């Protein structure tokens, strides 16, 4: 459980930095990182790629969190 929170924290923070240098705040970034880990896991599973270590988990989660942040920004700007 602690590892999931740590990966979520790191990946949410990285997604915020990758996309324009700011996020939605610490708690929201952690949430997006955790959800991004799920999304990233599903995307990479479809592609047949698995994370076998901590760094791989962070990369997978960050890619999912980045996609999630992009989607939320698109939806937020359109509404």
């Amino acid at each position: 459980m602690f590892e999931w929170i740590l990966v979520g924290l790191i990946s949410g923070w990285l997604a915020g930095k990758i996309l324009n240098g700011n996020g939605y705040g610490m708690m929201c970034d952690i949430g997006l990182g955790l959800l991004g880990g799920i999304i990233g896991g599903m995307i990479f599973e479809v592609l047949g790629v698995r994370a076998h270590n901590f760094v791989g988990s962070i990369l997978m989660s960050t890619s999912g969190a980045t996609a999630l942040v992009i989607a939320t920004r698109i939806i937020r700007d359109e509404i």
Side-chain angles (χ1 to χ4, degrees):
M1 180 77 164
F2 175 73
E3 292 175 0
W4 291 359
I5 294 171
L6 183 60
V7 168
L9 174 65
I10 293 169
S11 62
W13 177 78
L14 282 173
K17 294 301 175 191
I18 289 169
L19 297 170
N20 213 11
N22 55 13
Y24 289 110
M26 187 175 81
M27 294 308 292
C28 191
D29 283 350
I30 292 171
L32 288 174
L34 291 172
L35 288 173
I38 295 168
I39 293 169
M42 288 189 289
I43 291 170
F44 281 97
E45 187 173 325
V46 168
L47 297 174
V49 178
R50 293 193 177 266
H52 295 285
N53 57 27
F54 186 72
V55 174
S57 296
I58 289 174
L59 292 174
M60 183 172 33
S61 183
T62 300
S63 64
T66 302
L68 188 59
V69 170
I70 289 170
T72 57
R73 286 184 181 177
I74 289 170
I75 291 169
R76 189 180 74 185
D77 289 340
E78 288 184 3
I79 293 177

